[in-house]
Amino acid sequence: MITLESIEKVYESKSSRVVGVDNVSLSIEKGEIYGIVGYSGAGKSTLLRCINILERPTSGKVIVDGVDLLELSGKRLREARQSIGMIFQGFYLVSSKTVFENVAFALKAAGVDRAKREERVLELLSLVGLADKANQYPSQLSGGQKQRVSIARALANSPKVLLCDEATSALDPSTTKSILSLLKKINDELGITIVIITHEMEIVKEVCDRCAVMQDGKVVEEGPSYEIFANPKEDLTKEFIQTVLDFQLPAKLLENCSGTLVRLQFRGEQAGESVVSDMLQNHKVKGNILHGKVEYIREKPLGIFIMEVIGEQVEIQRAISYLQDRLKQVEVIKHVSK
């Protein structure tokens, strides 16, 4: 659906040259939710704006639904953009217009006649849960309701792609969850390809099928979201993952440990298996779970636990070997001796 080939965006002035996006190539499949993650200044929003040519890349190709948008201009580009909706952190609603009028604006600009506009607007307001707010003004709405209006407006011309630029950053956690649920609903029911820009891995965990991590204008890691969480390669990615899967043990807890500390990862169906109890039954060791949790990445379980294994060193090694055979991802964190 979306193919970015060697995208570069350079800002030049008489005194400086700043590379916003540095040779980025990505392929986003039809019907998936794709996340682009990075800190401020990483280039993620600039890359997103290159997809609908709000920012024209210095070089490269932007292919959306088989069409290279950089080969279009004028009327043809405006028509192509109608298949790409966009929502922003700041909502950008017209304060002097009602909810109905804000959503209808995009349809009016596209030349849709009045009767069809009204039918479409009411359909969209129902979809986003605001059928009873049609005659209210933006000032009368909560932040979440304003974002729902902007989503309805972005969907007005039945786009194939929806771009979300930090769309939940201004919202509280509860409202963020409701907006993410709405985006999942839109993706499931309408089959729209969604690209989400964010600095929060929690959002990737909740809704994204795949994601890319950006730093200094480059993509440093990319892949299925589950694999990114389960096996991050880059230090930056690990830093982001830690905001969701934080496993720092308190120093006082470590002081009371007398065995070997191991980190266990349970992937998918393994999260429901009795691996630890089987190990304890079959080996002459004792075990204490010190910390652990099961997260769901796009509804697929990923369990991570830290365990103290106590016993003779040779028995501990046999127990760890058993765990490694069953789980594949077992890390010895520290051997504590008192």
Side-chain angles (χ1 to χ4, degrees), residues 6-43:
S6 303
I7 296 298
E8 185 177 62
K9 177 62 182 179
V10 179
Y11 300 94
E12 293 192 84
S13 66
K14 291 181 180 179
S15 58
S16 66
R17 182 179 189 271
V18 177
V19 179
V21 178
D22 189 356
N23 193 33
V24 169
S25 295
L26 290 175
S27 180
I28 300 171
E29 301 298 326
K30 181 178 180 181
E32 75 176 342
I33 302 179
Y34 193 95
I36 301 176
V37 187
Y39 291 123
S40 296

Side-chain angles (χ1 to χ4, degrees), residues 86-93 99 102-103 121 123-133 141-156 162 167-168 171 174-186:
M86 191 164 184
I87 59 175
F88 305 87
Q89 176 182 346
F91 316 132
Y92 296 115
L93 302 177
V99 166
N102 267 280
V103 178
V121 170
E123 175 189 342
L124 289 167
L125 292 180
S126 178
L127 174 68
V128 301
L130 293 178
D132 59 336
K133 306 293 184 183
L141 304 179
S142 67
Q145 289 170 335
K146 290 176 183 178
Q147 194 58 282
R148 287 172 181 268
V149 175
S150 66
I151 290 171
R153 181 182 59 191
L155 297 175
L162 180 62
T168 60
L171 307 176
S174 177
T175 305
T176 292
K177 279 189 175 292
S178 72
I179 293 298
L180 294 178
S181 294
L182 175 58
L183 291 176
K184 283 198 285 187
K185 176 183 176 182
I186 290 168

Side-chain angles (χ1 to χ4, degrees), residues 53-259:
I53 320 301
L54 283 179
E55 293 273 5
R56 182 168 284 271
T58 306
S59 61
K61 291 185 177 182
V62 179
I63 301 170
V64 178
D65 200 23
V67 178
D68 187 349
L69 299 187
L70 291 176
E71 294 182 352
L72 307 180
S73 60
K75 181 180 179 181
R76 291 180 65 201
L77 180 57
R78 288 193 296 274
E79 289 173 348
R81 278 191 180 131
Q82 289 183 10
S83 69
I84 305 173
M86 191 164 184
I87 59 175
F88 305 87
Q89 176 182 346
F91 316 132
Y92 296 115
L93 302 177
V94 181
S95 61
S96 61
K97 293 184 180 294
T98 64
V99 166
F100 184 99
E101 291 168 336
N102 267 280
V103 178
F105 180 80
L107 293 164
K108 187 175 181 180
V112 177
D113 67 62
R114 185 171 181 175
K116 289 184 178 178
R117 284 204 307 267
E118 182 170 343
E119 179 182 355
R120 179 63 174 159
V121 170
L122 295 177
E123 175 189 342
L124 289 167
L125 292 180
S126 178
L127 174 68
V128 301
L130 293 178
D132 59 336
K133 306 293 184 183
N135 295 317
Q136 293 192 4
Y137 289 86
S139 62
Q140 298 172 289
L141 304 179
S142 67
Q145 289 170 335
K146 290 176 183 178
Q147 194 58 282
R148 287 172 181 268
V149 175
S150 66
I151 290 171
R153 181 182 59 191
L155 297 175
N157 289 307
S158 302
K160 297 176 181 178
V161 173
L162 180 62
L163 307 180
C164 308
D165 191 2
E166 299 278 10
T168 60
S169 292
L171 307 176
D172 62 71
S174 177
T175 305
T176 292
K177 279 189 175 292
S178 72
I179 293 298
L180 294 178
S181 294
L182 175 58
L183 291 176
K184 283 198 285 187
K185 176 183 176 182
I186 290 168
N187 176 255
D188 291 338
E189 294 183 4
L190 304 181
I192 293 176
T193 303
I194 300 178
V195 183
I196 297 178
I197 295 296
T198 182
H199 61 272
E200 301 176 73
M201 285 304 290
E202 186 71 31
I203 291 175
V204 174
K205 178 177 78 73
E206 289 290 328
V207 299
C208 296
D209 300 301
R210 293 192 299 134
C211 72
V213 180
M214 289 192 70
Q215 183 178 36
D216 298 328
K218 301 176 183 287
V219 170
V220 297
E221 192 161 356
E222 193 264 351
S225 297
Y226 192 90
E227 293 302 319
I228 293 290
F229 272 88
N231 192 27
K233 299 290 194 302
E234 300 295 322
D235 288 342
L236 177 64
T237 310
K238 293 174 183 177
E239 188 176 313
F240 273 115
I241 297 301
Q242 194 173 1
T243 64
V244 178
L245 303 176
D246 185 5
F247 284 89
Q248 297 297 318
L249 290 179
K252 191 161 185 68
L253 187 60
L254 288 173
E255 289 174 6
N256 296 323
C257 291
S258 59

Side-chain angles (χ1 to χ4, degrees), residues 258-260 279-280 283-287 308-321 335-337:
S258 59
T260 297
M279 180 272 288
L280 293 174
H283 296 81
K284 296 177 182 179
V285 295
K286 294 181 180 180
E308 178 189 21
V309 184
I310 303 169
E312 295 293 332
Q313 191 59 40
V314 65
E315 292 296 331
I316 290 175
Q317 189 54 54
R318 287 172 181 165
I320 291 174
S321 295
H335 177 68
V336 181
S337 58

